[in-house]
Structure formats: C-alpha cells, structure tokens
Amino acid sequence: MTPSVPPPVLDFLGRGDAQVSKSAGVVVLLLLLAALTGRVLLQSARPFPRRDGLRLLDVVALPLLLVFLAIVLERFRDLA
Amino acid sequence: MTWPSAGPALAGGRRGGLTGRLRRGGTVGSPDGPARPDELAPAFPPSLLVGYLCALALSEWLLTVSVPAAAACFGLLASTVCLALPLLPGDRDPDDRGAALPLVLAAVPVVRLITVAAPTADLAPLARLVVLAAFTLVAVCVAARGSPPQWRLLRPGPHGWAAQATLPLVAAPLALLVYPLAPPAAQLRDTAPALVLGVGLALAVVPEELLFRGLLVPAATGVAGPAGVPLAAAAYAATFIGYGSARMVLAALVVGWVLGWYRQRTGSALGVVGARVLLVLLVYLVVPAFWP
C-alpha cells in the first residue's frame, strides 16, 4: 500500500493550528496524563510493579510525550 | 516460493499453542496427568481481538465524519487496552507470544492518534510522512522491547539471509495489483525529485511495516493461531477505512495478508520490510511509467 495521510485528516490539518490544538491536542494531553499517572501508581504498587504494565504505559506515554513536546514547540514558534 | 514454516521457532520453542498461554495460577498439568480442557484459559481470548478490530474500524470510519471524534476514539481504545491489563495474566514467560500482544494493541491506536494530532500542518506532504514515521518508530521501538527475541524484527529468520533477500521479489506482483486498486496519492506525486521521493517513502513505510507485520502478526498468531495472519491483515486494512475507498481497503487487506503470511513463514520481519519498501517504490516510481 502507498503511504499517505487520509484526506479527512488533511482537511482537518488545513483548518489551522489553533483548531487542531483544541481538539486532537486535548486528546493527546489527556491520554498522556492518564498514562503517566497510571505509570506512577503502578510503580508504587506492592509487592512489585508489573513489568508488562509499565511497558504498556510506556508504549502509550513516550510517543505522545514527544508529540506533545512538538505541539508545544510549534505553539512557541507561532508566538515568536 | 515457499519456505518451511517457522512456527516452532516463533512459538517460543518449548511452549506453543493454547497450552503455552495459561493464566497465572492455572496449571499446565498436575503430576497426576495432563491438564483438563477446562483448566486451560487463553491469556487473551481471540474474541477480544475481534472486538478490538471492530473498535479500530469504527474509529477509522469516524475520520470521515469527525476527526476530533476519531481522535477521541483512538485515545479511548488505547486507554481500554491499558485498563484491560489487570484482567490479563501478569508477567509471564518471555517466550509467550501472547504476552506482547497488549503492547502492540496499544501502539496501533496511539500511532493513529499521532497521525491526527502531530503538528504537521505546515509541512510538505513527504516531510509530513517522514515525521509521522519517526513518531511511529518510537512507539514501535518501545513495544519491541517487550517482544520475545525469537520474533526477529531485523534479524534473518531460521532460513537465513537468502530467504530474506529473495522475499522482496513478491513486491512485483503485488505492485501490479495495488496500482490499479490504490493509485499513488496525488499529494505526493511530483512534489520532489525521484531519489528524494524514494528515500522519503522508504523511510515512511518501515516503522509501519515493523508494527503491523513485525509485531502484530506474531502477536496475533500467538493468540489466535492460523487466524492471526488474517486478523492482523484486517487490522492493517482497517487503517485505510478513513480514505473512503473500498478498493483501497481491499488492496491493503491483500497486501497485509500476503506479507503477513510470508512474515510468519520466514520467521523474520526483515524480508517483508524489504518487500514493502520495494512495493512502494514500484507503485510510485516504476509502474506509472509503464501503465497504459
């Protein structure tokens, strides 16, 4: 299959950064916060944290953290 | 070209099939004899995999209705996989293929969410794909850390380098099938020199291939047996529902099924990654020059 971004997403991206940040960006932030909170709670679990649970939350949190940082940098660039 | 199945190697050697996927606390068999069928419980019931597939397809369809709603559904799906983890067995034998399935199931909606939410509005189409691929690669690398070593993402399988080197040849007939069903995206054509386009496309498809064939196929096969390959292909095809073209979904299903089958038979993702890269290069750069 040929790689590309679905047309509805392209239309959505074309509406402007503010619109994107207010909708999809909020989902990213909420999911990121939930994953990080879950990870902290899991790390404090006794008698020992589940390694597969920590890995699972890492799969969710790490890419979203990078995307969130990219969104923040993008917003700073727009403000500059 | 066919290879003998790499099933035993991928199955984790000593324990494959249902008996290798017992809930913690269950028994493989008492000293008095083998386990009764009612003692066996799959770590991740295949019905859950089908339900996950339906939820993924619904989220992808929502892209055609409302992108923010689809993003919320992707987030919800990833959260559901995380919340379902306590219902699954705990830390298991690393040889167990089902152990890594939740990681892959969580990575797919996260990657789809990134496609919507990453700040790529100002980027050129090719650069956008490469940036999205970089984020996807992060998710794949984290998920791959929890996968059994015998999945062999970037190492040749039990059949050696020769099998992996010849596998990309399967891209030629696939390209002739894919081109009429799913022609190259107009947003990418003629946007860059052929060399730049080729390198960019190759970089863009590698993480996706590692996710859907490298990780999802063995994980799904570990849970659902022979049905794992079509299930993984269906998950891959579902990510094309947002394009609003049934022919594109069909092409993705065929490509996912064929490459998934080869990935399972050869025991390594290396060859199918090469096949996918060659497929994209053929569809974008070679076939259009000869197609009437």
PDB file of all heavy atoms in Angstrom, chain B residues 11-52:
ATOM      1  N   ALA B  11       6.937 -19.895  17.972  1.00  0.00           N
ATOM      2  CA  ALA B  11       6.036 -20.245  19.064  1.00  0.00           C
ATOM      3  C   ALA B  11       6.742 -20.249  20.401  1.00  0.00           C
ATOM      4  O   ALA B  11       6.134 -20.492  21.422  1.00  0.00           O
ATOM      5  CB  ALA B  11       5.429 -21.620  18.820  1.00  0.00           C
ATOM      6  N   GLY B  12       8.032 -19.932  20.378  1.00  0.00           N
ATOM      7  CA  GLY B  12       8.738 -19.861  21.639  1.00  0.00           C
ATOM      8  C   GLY B  12       9.357 -21.180  22.028  1.00  0.00           C
ATOM      9  O   GLY B  12       9.670 -21.402  23.183  1.00  0.00           O
ATOM     10  N   GLY B  13       9.536 -22.037  21.055  1.00  0.00           N
ATOM     11  CA  GLY B  13      10.246 -23.281  21.301  1.00  0.00           C
ATOM     12  C   GLY B  13       9.414 -24.287  22.063  1.00  0.00           C
ATOM     13  O   GLY B  13       8.573 -24.960  21.500  1.00  0.00           O
ATOM     14  N   ARG B  14       9.599 -24.300  23.356  1.00  0.00           N
ATOM     15  CA  ARG B  14       9.038 -25.400  24.117  1.00  0.00           C
ATOM     16  C   ARG B  14       7.539 -25.284  24.316  1.00  0.00           C
ATOM     17  O   ARG B  14       6.875 -26.259  24.552  1.00  0.00           O
ATOM     18  CB  ARG B  14       9.727 -25.492  25.468  1.00  0.00           C
ATOM     19  CG  ARG B  14       9.602 -24.232  26.306  1.00  0.00           C
ATOM     20  CD  ARG B  14      10.517 -24.295  27.515  1.00  0.00           C
ATOM     21  NE  ARG B  14      10.557 -23.023  28.190  1.00  0.00           N
ATOM     22  CZ  ARG B  14       9.683 -22.668  29.116  1.00  0.00           C
ATOM     23  NH1 ARG B  14       8.709 -23.472  29.418  1.00  0.00           N
ATOM     24  NH2 ARG B  14       9.783 -21.500  29.694  1.00  0.00           N
ATOM     25  N   ARG B  15       6.988 -24.065  24.284  1.00  0.00           N
ATOM     26  CA  ARG B  15       5.574 -23.952  24.566  1.00  0.00           C
ATOM     27  C   ARG B  15       4.893 -23.146  23.472  1.00  0.00           C
ATOM     28  O   ARG B  15       5.115 -21.969  23.324  1.00  0.00           O
ATOM     29  CB  ARG B  15       5.344 -23.252  25.904  1.00  0.00           C
ATOM     30  CG  ARG B  15       5.727 -24.102  27.066  1.00  0.00           C
ATOM     31  CD  ARG B  15       5.145 -23.526  28.327  1.00  0.00           C
ATOM     32  NE  ARG B  15       5.473 -22.110  28.457  1.00  0.00           N
ATOM     33  CZ  ARG B  15       4.734 -21.275  29.153  1.00  0.00           C
ATOM     34  NH1 ARG B  15       3.653 -21.675  29.729  1.00  0.00           N
ATOM     35  NH2 ARG B  15       5.090 -20.027  29.251  1.00  0.00           N
ATOM     36  N   GLY B  16       4.085 -23.777  22.680  1.00  0.00           N
ATOM     37  CA  GLY B  16       3.316 -23.060  21.686  1.00  0.00           C
ATOM     38  C   GLY B  16       1.863 -23.401  21.874  1.00  0.00           C
ATOM     39  O   GLY B  16       1.486 -24.257  22.664  1.00  0.00           O
ATOM     40  N   GLY B  17       1.013 -22.718  21.102  1.00  0.00           N
ATOM     41  CA  GLY B  17      -0.404 -23.042  21.151  1.00  0.00           C
ATOM     42  C   GLY B  17      -1.058 -22.630  22.451  1.00  0.00           C
ATOM     43  O   GLY B  17      -0.507 -21.866  23.253  1.00  0.00           O
ATOM     44  N   LEU B  18      -2.232 -23.170  22.640  1.00  0.00           N
ATOM     45  CA  LEU B  18      -3.057 -22.744  23.765  1.00  0.00           C
ATOM     46  C   LEU B  18      -2.436 -23.091  25.106  1.00  0.00           C
ATOM     47  O   LEU B  18      -2.519 -22.334  26.069  1.00  0.00           O
ATOM     48  CB  LEU B  18      -4.428 -23.408  23.637  1.00  0.00           C
ATOM     49  CG  LEU B  18      -5.505 -22.914  24.596  1.00  0.00           C
ATOM     50  CD1 LEU B  18      -5.777 -21.443  24.321  1.00  0.00           C
ATOM     51  CD2 LEU B  18      -6.767 -23.727  24.418  1.00  0.00           C
ATOM     52  N   THR B  19      -1.780 -24.235  25.166  1.00  0.00           N
ATOM     53  CA  THR B  19      -1.239 -24.658  26.457  1.00  0.00           C
ATOM     54  C   THR B  19      -0.125 -23.741  26.921  1.00  0.00           C
ATOM     55  O   THR B  19       0.197 -23.736  28.103  1.00  0.00           O
ATOM     56  CB  THR B  19      -0.688 -26.093  26.358  1.00  0.00           C
ATOM     57  OG1 THR B  19       0.220 -26.163  25.271  1.00  0.00           O
ATOM     58  CG2 THR B  19      -1.807 -27.084  26.138  1.00  0.00           C
ATOM     59  N   GLY B  20       0.460 -23.006  26.000  1.00  0.00           N
ATOM     60  CA  GLY B  20       1.520 -22.090  26.409  1.00  0.00           C
ATOM     61  C   GLY B  20       0.987 -20.764  26.898  1.00  0.00           C
ATOM     62  O   GLY B  20       1.751 -19.867  27.193  1.00  0.00           O
ATOM     63  N   ARG B  21      -0.309 -20.605  26.905  1.00  0.00           N
ATOM     64  CA  ARG B  21      -0.876 -19.307  27.248  1.00  0.00           C
ATOM     65  C   ARG B  21      -1.875 -19.459  28.385  1.00  0.00           C
ATOM     66  O   ARG B  21      -3.051 -19.192  28.271  1.00  0.00           O
ATOM     67  CB  ARG B  21      -1.552 -18.713  26.019  1.00  0.00           C
ATOM     68  CG  ARG B  21      -0.617 -18.539  24.865  1.00  0.00           C
ATOM     69  CD  ARG B  21      -1.286 -17.817  23.740  1.00  0.00           C
ATOM     70  NE  ARG B  21      -2.389 -18.565  23.182  1.00  0.00           N
ATOM     71  CZ  ARG B  21      -2.240 -19.524  22.290  1.00  0.00           C
ATOM     72  NH1 ARG B  21      -1.061 -19.847  21.862  1.00  0.00           N
ATOM     73  NH2 ARG B  21      -3.288 -20.150  21.810  1.00  0.00           N
ATOM     74  N   LEU B  22      -1.390 -19.927  29.460  1.00  0.00           N
ATOM     75  CA  LEU B  22      -2.264 -20.161  30.603  1.00  0.00           C
ATOM     76  C   LEU B  22      -2.303 -18.937  31.479  1.00  0.00           C
ATOM     77  O   LEU B  22      -1.351 -18.181  31.580  1.00  0.00           O
ATOM     78  CB  LEU B  22      -1.751 -21.360  31.410  1.00  0.00           C
ATOM     79  CG  LEU B  22      -1.663 -22.664  30.641  1.00  0.00           C
ATOM     80  CD1 LEU B  22      -1.058 -23.724  31.534  1.00  0.00           C
ATOM     81  CD2 LEU B  22      -3.043 -23.094  30.209  1.00  0.00           C
ATOM     82  N   ARG B  23      -3.412 -18.763  32.119  1.00  0.00           N
ATOM     83  CA  ARG B  23      -3.483 -17.700  33.110  1.00  0.00           C
ATOM     84  C   ARG B  23      -2.565 -18.026  34.267  1.00  0.00           C
ATOM     85  O   ARG B  23      -2.369 -19.175  34.618  1.00  0.00           O
ATOM     86  CB  ARG B  23      -4.914 -17.574  33.630  1.00  0.00           C
ATOM     87  CG  ARG B  23      -5.842 -16.979  32.618  1.00  0.00           C
ATOM     88  CD  ARG B  23      -7.152 -16.636  33.299  1.00  0.00           C
ATOM     89  NE  ARG B  23      -8.052 -16.036  32.335  1.00  0.00           N
ATOM     90  CZ  ARG B  23      -8.005 -14.778  31.951  1.00  0.00           C
ATOM     91  NH1 ARG B  23      -7.085 -13.989  32.447  1.00  0.00           N
ATOM     92  NH2 ARG B  23      -8.863 -14.299  31.082  1.00  0.00           N
ATOM     93  N   ARG B  24      -2.017 -16.977  34.871  1.00  0.00           N
ATOM     94  CA  ARG B  24      -1.178 -17.211  36.035  1.00  0.00           C
ATOM     95  C   ARG B  24      -2.044 -17.847  37.117  1.00  0.00           C
ATOM     96  O   ARG B  24      -3.150 -17.415  37.392  1.00  0.00           O
ATOM     97  CB  ARG B  24      -0.597 -15.892  36.542  1.00  0.00           C
ATOM     98  CG  ARG B  24       0.439 -16.118  37.606  1.00  0.00           C
ATOM     99  CD  ARG B  24       1.241 -14.880  37.842  1.00  0.00           C
ATOM    100  NE  ARG B  24       0.382 -13.748  38.187  1.00  0.00           N
ATOM    101  CZ  ARG B  24       0.842 -12.557  38.509  1.00  0.00           C
ATOM    102  NH1 ARG B  24       2.127 -12.328  38.452  1.00  0.00           N
ATOM    103  NH2 ARG B  24       0.045 -11.577  38.817  1.00  0.00           N
ATOM    104  N   GLY B  25      -1.532 -18.833  37.702  1.00  0.00           N
ATOM    105  CA  GLY B  25      -2.302 -19.546  38.705  1.00  0.00           C
ATOM    106  C   GLY B  25      -2.914 -20.812  38.138  1.00  0.00           C
ATOM    107  O   GLY B  25      -3.297 -21.699  38.857  1.00  0.00           O
ATOM    108  N   GLY B  26      -3.017 -20.862  36.818  1.00  0.00           N
ATOM    109  CA  GLY B  26      -3.522 -22.076  36.192  1.00  0.00           C
ATOM    110  C   GLY B  26      -2.427 -23.118  36.191  1.00  0.00           C
ATOM    111  O   GLY B  26      -1.282 -22.865  36.554  1.00  0.00           O
ATOM    112  N   THR B  27      -2.759 -24.311  35.794  1.00  0.00           N
ATOM    113  CA  THR B  27      -1.771 -25.374  35.808  1.00  0.00           C
ATOM    114  C   THR B  27      -1.627 -25.955  34.426  1.00  0.00           C
ATOM    115  O   THR B  27      -2.598 -26.117  33.697  1.00  0.00           O
ATOM    116  CB  THR B  27      -2.194 -26.501  36.754  1.00  0.00           C
ATOM    117  OG1 THR B  27      -3.493 -26.928  36.381  1.00  0.00           O
ATOM    118  CG2 THR B  27      -2.196 -26.036  38.202  1.00  0.00           C
ATOM    119  N   VAL B  28      -0.401 -26.200  34.057  1.00  0.00           N
ATOM    120  CA  VAL B  28      -0.160 -26.868  32.785  1.00  0.00           C
ATOM    121  C   VAL B  28      -0.616 -28.306  32.880  1.00  0.00           C
ATOM    122  O   VAL B  28      -1.143 -28.884  31.951  1.00  0.00           O
ATOM    123  CB  VAL B  28       1.332 -26.799  32.432  1.00  0.00           C
ATOM    124  CG1 VAL B  28       1.612 -27.551  31.155  1.00  0.00           C
ATOM    125  CG2 VAL B  28       1.780 -25.358  32.319  1.00  0.00           C
ATOM    126  N   GLY B  29      -0.445 -28.867  33.992  1.00  0.00           N
ATOM    127  CA  GLY B  29      -0.855 -30.246  34.186  1.00  0.00           C
ATOM    128  C   GLY B  29      -0.395 -30.695  35.555  1.00  0.00           C
ATOM    129  O   GLY B  29       0.678 -30.331  36.006  1.00  0.00           O
ATOM    130  N   SER B  30      -1.190 -31.429  36.199  1.00  0.00           N
ATOM    131  CA  SER B  30      -0.796 -31.873  37.524  1.00  0.00           C
ATOM    132  C   SER B  30       0.128 -33.062  37.375  1.00  0.00           C
ATOM    133  O   SER B  30       0.222 -33.672  36.312  1.00  0.00           O
ATOM    134  CB  SER B  30      -2.053 -32.281  38.302  1.00  0.00           C
ATOM    135  OG  SER B  30      -2.636 -33.393  37.671  1.00  0.00           O
ATOM    136  N   PRO B  31       0.845 -33.388  38.440  1.00  0.00           N
ATOM    137  CA  PRO B  31       1.722 -34.558  38.366  1.00  0.00           C
ATOM    138  C   PRO B  31       0.951 -35.827  38.054  1.00  0.00           C
ATOM    139  O   PRO B  31       1.521 -36.800  37.565  1.00  0.00           O
ATOM    140  CB  PRO B  31       2.334 -34.621  39.777  1.00  0.00           C
ATOM    141  CG  PRO B  31       2.204 -33.240  40.322  1.00  0.00           C
ATOM    142  CD  PRO B  31       0.973 -32.671  39.723  1.00  0.00           C
ATOM    143  N   ASP B  32      -0.341 -35.790  38.327  1.00  0.00           N
ATOM    144  CA  ASP B  32      -1.138 -36.992  38.075  1.00  0.00           C
ATOM    145  C   ASP B  32      -1.507 -37.158  36.615  1.00  0.00           C
ATOM    146  O   ASP B  32      -1.983 -38.202  36.199  1.00  0.00           O
ATOM    147  CB  ASP B  32      -2.425 -36.944  38.910  1.00  0.00           C
ATOM    148  CG  ASP B  32      -2.110 -36.865  40.392  1.00  0.00           C
ATOM    149  OD1 ASP B  32      -1.048 -37.392  40.765  1.00  0.00           O
ATOM    150  OD2 ASP B  32      -2.899 -36.262  41.137  1.00  0.00           O
ATOM    151  N   GLY B  33      -1.355 -36.133  35.827  1.00  0.00           N
ATOM    152  CA  GLY B  33      -1.740 -36.259  34.430  1.00  0.00           C
ATOM    153  C   GLY B  33      -1.866 -34.910  33.769  1.00  0.00           C
ATOM    154  O   GLY B  33      -1.609 -33.879  34.395  1.00  0.00           O
ATOM    155  N   PRO B  34      -2.225 -34.892  32.504  1.00  0.00           N
ATOM    156  CA  PRO B  34      -2.324 -33.637  31.784  1.00  0.00           C
ATOM    157  C   PRO B  34      -3.494 -32.796  32.267  1.00  0.00           C
ATOM    158  O   PRO B  34      -4.433 -33.294  32.893  1.00  0.00           O
ATOM    159  CB  PRO B  34      -2.532 -34.087  30.335  1.00  0.00           C
ATOM    160  CG  PRO B  34      -3.122 -35.451  30.449  1.00  0.00           C
ATOM    161  CD  PRO B  34      -2.559 -36.043  31.690  1.00  0.00           C
ATOM    162  N   ALA B  35      -3.421 -31.504  31.948  1.00  0.00           N
ATOM    163  CA  ALA B  35      -4.485 -30.601  32.379  1.00  0.00           C
ATOM    164  C   ALA B  35      -5.776 -30.918  31.643  1.00  0.00           C
ATOM    165  O   ALA B  35      -5.773 -31.310  30.487  1.00  0.00           O
ATOM    166  CB  ALA B  35      -4.075 -29.156  32.092  1.00  0.00           C
ATOM    167  N   ARG B  36      -6.886 -30.736  32.345  1.00  0.00           N
ATOM    168  CA  ARG B  36      -8.171 -30.898  31.694  1.00  0.00           C
ATOM    169  C   ARG B  36      -8.441 -29.666  30.836  1.00  0.00           C
ATOM    170  O   ARG B  36      -7.931 -28.584  31.119  1.00  0.00           O
ATOM    171  CB  ARG B  36      -9.275 -31.030  32.753  1.00  0.00           C
ATOM    172  CG  ARG B  36      -9.140 -32.273  33.603  1.00  0.00           C
ATOM    173  CD  ARG B  36     -10.436 -32.497  34.373  1.00  0.00           C
ATOM    174  NE  ARG B  36     -10.905 -31.288  35.025  1.00  0.00           N
ATOM    175  CZ  ARG B  36     -10.523 -30.896  36.250  1.00  0.00           C
ATOM    176  NH1 ARG B  36      -9.666 -31.635  36.910  1.00  0.00           N
ATOM    177  NH2 ARG B  36     -10.988 -29.796  36.788  1.00  0.00           N
ATOM    178  N   PRO B  37      -9.286 -29.802  29.806  1.00  0.00           N
ATOM    179  CA  PRO B  37      -9.550 -28.651  28.948  1.00  0.00           C
ATOM    180  C   PRO B  37     -10.111 -27.466  29.713  1.00  0.00           C
ATOM    181  O   PRO B  37      -9.826 -26.327  29.376  1.00  0.00           O
ATOM    182  CB  PRO B  37     -10.574 -29.204  27.947  1.00  0.00           C
ATOM    183  CG  PRO B  37     -10.316 -30.670  27.919  1.00  0.00           C
ATOM    184  CD  PRO B  37      -9.879 -31.033  29.292  1.00  0.00           C
ATOM    185  N   ASP B  38     -10.897 -27.716  30.775  1.00  0.00           N
ATOM    186  CA  ASP B  38     -11.478 -26.579  31.490  1.00  0.00           C
ATOM    187  C   ASP B  38     -10.448 -25.853  32.346  1.00  0.00           C
ATOM    188  O   ASP B  38     -10.719 -24.803  32.902  1.00  0.00           O
ATOM    189  CB  ASP B  38     -12.662 -27.034  32.345  1.00  0.00           C
ATOM    190  CG  ASP B  38     -12.279 -28.107  33.354  1.00  0.00           C
ATOM    191  OD1 ASP B  38     -11.103 -28.563  33.303  1.00  0.00           O
ATOM    192  OD2 ASP B  38     -13.123 -28.478  34.155  1.00  0.00           O
ATOM    193  N   GLU B  39      -9.239 -26.433  32.485  1.00  0.00           N
ATOM    194  CA  GLU B  39      -8.190 -25.753  33.235  1.00  0.00           C
ATOM    195  C   GLU B  39      -7.437 -24.759  32.355  1.00  0.00           C
ATOM    196  O   GLU B  39      -6.693 -23.927  32.860  1.00  0.00           O
ATOM    197  CB  GLU B  39      -7.189 -26.764  33.782  1.00  0.00           C
ATOM    198  CG  GLU B  39      -7.760 -27.642  34.893  1.00  0.00           C
ATOM    199  CD  GLU B  39      -6.739 -28.657  35.347  1.00  0.00           C
ATOM    200  OE1 GLU B  39      -6.116 -29.278  34.476  1.00  0.00           O
ATOM    201  OE2 GLU B  39      -6.574 -28.821  36.549  1.00  0.00           O
ATOM    202  N   LEU B  40      -7.632 -24.885  31.058  1.00  0.00           N
ATOM    203  CA  LEU B  40      -6.880 -24.043  30.149  1.00  0.00           C
ATOM    204  C   LEU B  40      -7.683 -22.794  29.823  1.00  0.00           C
ATOM    205  O   LEU B  40      -8.854 -22.862  29.530  1.00  0.00           O
ATOM    206  CB  LEU B  40      -6.577 -24.793  28.848  1.00  0.00           C
ATOM    207  CG  LEU B  40      -5.858 -26.114  29.018  1.00  0.00           C
ATOM    208  CD1 LEU B  40      -5.692 -26.795  27.672  1.00  0.00           C
ATOM    209  CD2 LEU B  40      -4.516 -25.909  29.678  1.00  0.00           C
ATOM    210  N   ALA B  41      -7.036 -21.666  29.900  1.00  0.00           N
ATOM    211  CA  ALA B  41      -7.715 -20.422  29.536  1.00  0.00           C
ATOM    212  C   ALA B  41      -6.743 -19.574  28.735  1.00  0.00           C
ATOM    213  O   ALA B  41      -5.614 -19.364  29.165  1.00  0.00           O
ATOM    214  CB  ALA B  41      -8.157 -19.670  30.777  1.00  0.00           C
ATOM    215  N   PRO B  42      -7.136 -19.126  27.559  1.00  0.00           N
ATOM    216  CA  PRO B  42      -6.216 -18.315  26.775  1.00  0.00           C
ATOM    217  C   PRO B  42      -5.927 -17.004  27.478  1.00  0.00           C
ATOM    218  O   PRO B  42      -6.805 -16.427  28.124  1.00  0.00           O
ATOM    219  CB  PRO B  42      -6.972 -18.079  25.461  1.00  0.00           C
ATOM    220  CG  PRO B  42      -8.405 -18.296  25.788  1.00  0.00           C
ATOM    221  CD  PRO B  42      -8.427 -19.298  26.892  1.00  0.00           C
ATOM    222  N   ALA B  43      -4.678 -16.538  27.369  1.00  0.00           N
ATOM    223  CA  ALA B  43      -4.290 -15.303  28.022  1.00  0.00           C
ATOM    224  C   ALA B  43      -5.051 -14.119  27.442  1.00  0.00           C
ATOM    225  O   ALA B  43      -5.378 -13.187  28.141  1.00  0.00           O
ATOM    226  CB  ALA B  43      -2.787 -15.085  27.860  1.00  0.00           C
ATOM    227  N   PHE B  44      -5.339 -14.158  26.197  1.00  0.00           N
ATOM    228  CA  PHE B  44      -6.027 -13.059  25.532  1.00  0.00           C
ATOM    229  C   PHE B  44      -7.027 -13.702  24.581  1.00  0.00           C
ATOM    230  O   PHE B  44      -6.660 -14.121  23.491  1.00  0.00           O
ATOM    231  CB  PHE B  44      -5.011 -12.206  24.765  1.00  0.00           C
ATOM    232  CG  PHE B  44      -5.502 -10.824  24.496  1.00  0.00           C
ATOM    233  CD1 PHE B  44      -5.061  -9.755  25.245  1.00  0.00           C
ATOM    234  CD2 PHE B  44      -6.421 -10.584  23.489  1.00  0.00           C
ATOM    235  CE1 PHE B  44      -5.513  -8.481  25.001  1.00  0.00           C
ATOM    236  CE2 PHE B  44      -6.873  -9.310  23.233  1.00  0.00           C
ATOM    237  CZ  PHE B  44      -6.421  -8.258  23.990  1.00  0.00           C
ATOM    238  N   PRO B  45      -8.296 -13.806  24.974  1.00  0.00           N
ATOM    239  CA  PRO B  45      -9.258 -14.519  24.139  1.00  0.00           C
ATOM    240  C   PRO B  45      -9.330 -13.919  22.738  1.00  0.00           C
ATOM    241  O   PRO B  45      -9.370 -12.698  22.589  1.00  0.00           O
ATOM    242  CB  PRO B  45     -10.581 -14.309  24.885  1.00  0.00           C
ATOM    243  CG  PRO B  45     -10.190 -14.004  26.277  1.00  0.00           C
ATOM    244  CD  PRO B  45      -8.881 -13.292  26.212  1.00  0.00           C
ATOM    245  N   PRO B  46      -9.349 -14.755  21.698  1.00  0.00           N
ATOM    246  CA  PRO B  46      -9.431 -14.236  20.326  1.00  0.00           C
ATOM    247  C   PRO B  46     -10.656 -13.364  20.095  1.00  0.00           C
ATOM    248  O   PRO B  46     -10.634 -12.468  19.263  1.00  0.00           O
ATOM    249  CB  PRO B  46      -9.479 -15.505  19.475  1.00  0.00           C
ATOM    250  CG  PRO B  46      -8.811 -16.539  20.302  1.00  0.00           C
ATOM    251  CD  PRO B  46      -9.138 -16.202  21.726  1.00  0.00           C
ATOM    252  N   SER B  47     -11.736 -13.612  20.864  1.00  0.00           N
ATOM    253  CA  SER B  47     -12.918 -12.776  20.692  1.00  0.00           C
ATOM    254  C   SER B  47     -12.613 -11.321  21.050  1.00  0.00           C
ATOM    255  O   SER B  47     -13.163 -10.391  20.459  1.00  0.00           O
ATOM    256  CB  SER B  47     -14.063 -13.305  21.547  1.00  0.00           C
ATOM    257  OG  SER B  47     -13.662 -13.369  22.900  1.00  0.00           O
ATOM    258  N   LEU B  48     -11.734 -11.118  22.023  1.00  0.00           N
ATOM    259  CA  LEU B  48     -11.339  -9.746  22.366  1.00  0.00           C
ATOM    260  C   LEU B  48     -10.605  -9.094  21.206  1.00  0.00           C
ATOM    261  O   LEU B  48     -10.733  -7.896  20.965  1.00  0.00           O
ATOM    262  CB  LEU B  48     -10.433  -9.758  23.601  1.00  0.00           C
ATOM    263  CG  LEU B  48     -11.120  -9.824  24.961  1.00  0.00           C
ATOM    264  CD1 LEU B  48     -10.095  -9.718  26.071  1.00  0.00           C
ATOM    265  CD2 LEU B  48     -12.143  -8.709  25.098  1.00  0.00           C
ATOM    266  N   LEU B  49      -9.823  -9.914  20.493  1.00  0.00           N
ATOM    267  CA  LEU B  49      -9.093  -9.394  19.334  1.00  0.00           C
ATOM    268  C   LEU B  49     -10.070  -8.932  18.257  1.00  0.00           C
ATOM    269  O   LEU B  49      -9.871  -7.888  17.624  1.00  0.00           O
ATOM    270  CB  LEU B  49      -8.179 -10.485  18.793  1.00  0.00           C
ATOM    271  CG  LEU B  49      -6.969 -10.062  17.969  1.00  0.00           C
ATOM    272  CD1 LEU B  49      -6.112  -9.070  18.717  1.00  0.00           C
ATOM    273  CD2 LEU B  49      -6.167 -11.260  17.547  1.00  0.00           C
ATOM    274  N   VAL B  50     -11.132  -9.698  18.063  1.00  0.00           N
ATOM    275  CA  VAL B  50     -12.150  -9.311  17.071  1.00  0.00           C
ATOM    276  C   VAL B  50     -12.864  -8.032  17.525  1.00  0.00           C
ATOM    277  O   VAL B  50     -13.109  -7.120  16.725  1.00  0.00           O
ATOM    278  CB  VAL B  50     -13.153 -10.462  16.867  1.00  0.00           C
ATOM    279  CG1 VAL B  50     -14.282 -10.032  15.938  1.00  0.00           C
ATOM    280  CG2 VAL B  50     -12.451 -11.691  16.304  1.00  0.00           C
ATOM    281  N   GLY B  51     -13.177  -7.948  18.816  1.00  0.00           N
ATOM    282  CA  GLY B  51     -13.800  -6.735  19.334  1.00  0.00           C
ATOM    283  C   GLY B  51     -12.905  -5.524  19.170  1.00  0.00           C
ATOM    284  O   GLY B  51     -13.368  -4.436  18.810  1.00  0.00           O
ATOM    285  N   TYR B  52     -11.627  -5.723  19.422  1.00  0.00           N
ATOM    286  CA  TYR B  52     -10.658  -4.637  19.228  1.00  0.00           C
ATOM    287  C   TYR B  52     -10.637  -4.189  17.770  1.00  0.00           C
ATOM    288  O   TYR B  52     -10.591  -2.996  17.468  1.00  0.00           O
ATOM    289  CB  TYR B  52      -9.280  -5.141  19.648  1.00  0.00           C
ATOM    290  CG  TYR B  52      -8.138  -4.220  19.298  1.00  0.00           C
ATOM    291  CD1 TYR B  52      -7.761  -3.207  20.161  1.00  0.00           C
ATOM    292  CD2 TYR B  52      -7.443  -4.370  18.107  1.00  0.00           C
ATOM    293  CE1 TYR B  52      -6.719  -2.364  19.841  1.00  0.00           C
ATOM    294  CE2 TYR B  52      -6.404  -3.534  17.784  1.00  0.00           C
ATOM    295  CZ  TYR B  52      -6.043  -2.529  18.654  1.00  0.00           C
ATOM    296  OH  TYR B  52      -5.015  -1.697  18.331  1.00  0.00           O
TER     297      TYR B  52
END
